[in-house]
Amino acid sequence: VWHSDGCPAVKMTYRAAITVPYWSTAVMSAIGKGSIDNGDGTTMYSFDQPVAMPSYLLALAVGDIASCEISPRCKVWSEPSLLDACKFEFSQTESFLQIAEEITDMPYQWVRYDLLCLPPSFPYGGAENPCLTFVTPTLLAGDRSLASVVAHEIAHSWTGNLVTNRTWSHFWLNEGWTKWLERKIISKIHNDDRFFDFDAIGGWKALQEDVSILPAASTCLVLDLGDSDPDESYSIVPYEKGFHLLWNLERMIGSTTFLCFARAYLKKFAFVTVTSEEFRDFLDSFLEGNIAVSQMVLKHFDWEEWLHGEGMPPCGEPKFDRTLSGDAEALAKEWITYDEKGASVKQEPPSVDISEWTSSQKVCFLDAIMSGLENRNPFKTSTTKVMQDLYKFHETKNCEILYRLCMIGVSASDENIYPVVVRFITTQGRMKYIRPLYRALFATEKGKGIAIQAFLEHKDFYHPIAAKMIAMDLGAAVTARNKGEKNIPYQTLFIGTLAVVSIGAVVLARRKK
């Protein structure tokens, strides 16, 4: 797999000819134009990307992969053994595309929307390469419950790929807009606007968690990156704080007016790049004809605080519609009460049957427990054992549920959960899961040595970016334990740790600013 780095200000079209061994297949962020048998044990694949795209989304993957059509313009690619699972998990892709076209009032520009399921060391949920989205196998939950990641990557086809932040300092324009559009897609796929708030509730909690551990300067929407590595500033902030800026504007000016603005914004900046200042100026010009609304935004919306202020959004926690989360939050309170009473009181654990709950409700339940434990002691190990025996969350294929179970168990210093945690963080490399779990383990007396040992034994499994960031999280302890080994700087490691090989790439780029 090869995924290029690059300045987001550069947009380009390109053609490519890729020569690979006969047993392998090449795919790219472009339209496939066929293949030729070279007669020497190699095959040449040709590609064309006629739509100007950000240079950082130039992507190539080569390996023993198979494909299956899921609609006339959508296909899934994966290792042959995972193809059926991918076909099922991502079967809503065409519906997501059609809904996004309806919301944006713009046709999908890139002709094909294919998905490639990467090896488990892939460090992100997805990468929105035009024509070929990369996705993590951690999405293969078996019940389509994590398909919102695909909705997110599809949304990027408009907000990120078509309209792009000019520099990484304005990254929120890519991700905040994409979170907004993703949640609109999800609420429409369910035909229920409550799902917009339901998803945003979890996003607000994730934002609180990141803001609590990040340097204050990294919690601003517009970042002063200077010469620093953007990877080191990567967080949930541009996603969720950016989303809340947009949602706050939507509630202020009204959903109908805001939707018209969103469509006008996409048309205005399609195929070019944009800054936060240009976004603000365009909103001002769009509202010029509506004096009352324009004056309200001018009076009540603090642009300086939103864009450059530190910490949580200045609007405070919104009044979410909690009708879909109510049962889950109520059960979480029951478990916290059960834990507080402890073994000194003869009691039965909460009896609510959650066997028919959706995976999203279970995630919400565990989120509510984690929120409820923030200002009190962690669960007792007796509580985590009862919960594990009752719900069997440690056996789930849903990584969002498993991640939260592990976080609760680690905070309780429950040694019974450690084998589950170690297996989870060493068999997949998605940073959303492994970095918080490594940090949580490292922060406990019992888990510190386990975290260091697990990382040193598996660091070559992880993507170089993930390995670098975990090493930073664990700090001097890793350096001390690793002393004497000959180390290659992570930034020089070849991305081939993803376990597939790219050979003979020739890219002919026609650059456009």
Side-chain angles (χ1 to χ4, degrees):
V1 166
W2 175 45
H3 194 279
S4 75
D5 296 320
C7 169
V10 175
K11 291 202 171 187
M12 68 180 193
T13 60
Y14 73 91
R15 294 190 300 271
I18 311 296
T19 298
V20 299
Y22 73 92
W23 52 265
S24 61
T25 300
V27 288
M28 289 196 79
S29 53
I31 303 297
K33 293 297 182 181
S35 61
I36 298 174
D37 185 345
N38 292 325
D40 59 357
T42 65
T43 304
M44 185 179 74
Y45 289 84
S46 298
F47 300 91
D48 183 31
Q49 179 52 271
V51 181
M53 62 172 234
S55 63
Y56 64 84
L57 293 177
L58 178 64
L60 163 69
V62 178
D64 180 14
I65 54 177
S67 67
C68 178
E69 297 278 354
I70 53 176
S71 82
R73 57 177 170 175
C74 300
K75 180 186 293 185
V76 291
W77 291 89
S78 72
E79 298 174 60
S81 62
L82 293 178
L83 192 58
D84 287 343
C86 290
K87 179 182 178 182
F88 172 80
E89 209 74 37
F90 307 133
S91 60
Q92 294 172 297
T93 300
E94 177 63 35
S95 296
F96 289 154
L97 271 175
Q98 291 179 11
I99 291 171
E101 289 177 318
E102 176 189 342
I103 294 170
T104 61
D105 196 31
M106 291 182 71
Y108 177 71
Q109 300 291 315
W110 313 93
V111 184
R112 295 285 312 177
Y113 188 89
D114 295 345
L115 297 127
L116 171 64
C117 186
L118 290 179
S121 56
F122 184 55
Y124 303 109
E128 65 274 16
N129 319 308
C131 305
L132 184 71
T133 284
F134 288 172
V135 290
T136 168
T138 63
L139 303 183
L140 302 179
D143 61 358
R144 303 192 187 102
S145 58
L146 302 180
S148 62
V149 172
V150 176
H152 183 89
E153 305 309 331
I154 281 175
H156 266 307
S157 300
W158 286 265
T159 54
N161 298 5
L162 194 63
V163 179
T164 310
N165 48 234
R166 188 162 304 151
T167 71
W168 296 124
S169 293
H170 303 278
F171 187 47
W172 78 271
L173 286 169
N174 275 21
E175 297 299 348
W177 270 113
T178 299
K179 264 296 173 188
W180 177 84
L181 183 51
E182 169 202 338
R183 286 172 176 147
K184 293 292 185 182
I185 294 170
I186 293 300
S187 62
K188 279 191 172 291
I189 204 78
H190 289 288
N191 197 30
D192 189 339
D193 288 341
R194 294 178 301 171
F195 279 88
F196 187 93
D197 288 60
F198 186 49
D199 191 73
I201 290 169
W204 182 266
K205 181 183 180 299
L207 179 60
Q208 288 177 314
E209 291 173 354
D210 264 21
V211 167
S212 71
I213 63 172
L214 287 169
S218 296
T219 64
C220 301
L221 274 185
V222 179
L223 295 173
D224 182 10
L225 293 172
D227 295 328
S228 62
D229 184 350
D231 288 332
E232 296 176 12
S233 299
Y234 181 83
S235 73
I236 204 73
V237 170
Y239 295 75
E240 294 296 344
K241 194 172 182 178
F243 161 79
H244 279 282
L245 182 152
L246 297 169
W247 194 28
N248 199 57
L249 283 172
E250 179 177 4
R251 285 175 294 164
M252 185 177 289
I253 69 177
S255 293
T256 301
T257 300
F258 189 81
L259 179 60
C260 292
F261 163 68
R263 290 171 172 176
Y265 167 80
L266 291 173
K267 290 179 173 65
K268 168 69 175 178
F269 294 103
F271 305 109
V272 297
T273 60
V274 62
T275 66
S276 301
E277 293 74 25
E278 289 170 332
F279 163 81
R280 176 183 177 177
D281 290 344
F282 183 71
L283 176 63
D284 288 343
S285 65
F286 179 83
L287 295 176
E288 278 181 356
N290 191 330
I291 297 175
V293 172
S294 180
Q295 289 298 316
M296 180 172 57
V297 172
L298 183 65
K299 181 178 179 181
H300 296 290
F301 198 85
D302 188 341
W303 285 101
E304 180 63 25
E305 185 63 25
W306 270 104
L307 296 176
H308 303 287
E310 298 172 350
M312 293 295 288
C315 60
E317 183 170 359
K319 292 182 179 179
F320 296 112
D321 181 330
R322 294 185 176 271
T323 53
L324 292 179
S325 63
D327 289 343
E329 291 169 336
L331 181 58
K333 290 179 181 178
E334 288 188 39
W335 274 99
I336 291 172
T337 299
Y338 170 83
D339 181 75
E340 288 173 343
K341 291 180 179 178
S344 61
V345 178
K346 187 176 182 181
Q347 59 175 332
E348 293 296 323
S351 58
V352 175
D353 181 8
I354 67 169
S355 60
E356 298 301 317
W357 280 17
T358 65
S359 294
S360 296
Q361 286 176 297
K362 294 173 184 177
V363 167
C364 182
F365 161 59
L366 294 172
D367 271 343
I369 288 178
M370 292 169 69
S371 294
L373 295 177
E374 286 175 357
N375 298 314
R376 50 148 288 171
N377 292 328
F379 269 171
K380 300 175 182 68
T381 54
S382 58
T383 301
T384 58
K385 185 180 186 306
V386 171
M387 181 180 290
Q388 189 168 328
D389 291 343
L390 188 61
Y391 297 139
K392 309 295 183 186
F393 284 155
H394 60 290
E395 299 176 359
T396 184
K397 292 174 63 178
N398 186 300
C399 288
E400 293 289 332
I401 294 174
L402 185 58
Y403 161 69
R404 288 160 174 80
L405 172 72
C406 289
M407 289 293 286
I408 293 169
V410 169
S411 71
S413 295
D414 182 354
E415 295 183 36
N416 293 315
I417 201 69
Y418 288 168
V420 178
V421 176
V422 172
R423 182 171 64 251
F424 185 47
I425 62 177
T426 59
T427 56
Q428 54 82 32
R430 190 173 174 188
M431 290 193 290
K432 176 182 181 181
Y433 306 136
I434 60 176
R435 288 191 66 195
L437 279 168
Y438 267 112
R439 289 195 298 261
L441 273 175
F442 189 74
T444 66
E445 183 178 350
K446 294 179 180 179
K448 184 173 183 178
I450 294 173
I452 295 171
Q453 182 178 352
F455 175 65
L456 292 178
E457 290 180 357
H458 295 88
K459 63 181 181 178
D460 292 337
F461 162 75
Y462 298 119
H463 185 284
I465 293 175
K468 176 182 71 173
M469 300 309 295
I470 297 168
M472 289 177 58
D473 291 338
L474 303 186
V478 168
T479 303
R481 288 282 294 270
N482 210 29
K483 190 175 181 180
E485 291 188 17
K486 185 176 180 181
N487 292 312
I488 303 171
Y490 286 122
Q491 52 266 49
T492 68
L493 288 175
F494 181 55
I495 203 167
T497 53
L498 288 178
V500 287
V501 180
S502 62
I503 300 175
V506 178
V507 178
L508 306 174
R510 305 189 297 270
R511 292 179 179 270
K512 292 185 179 179
K513 296 287 185 180

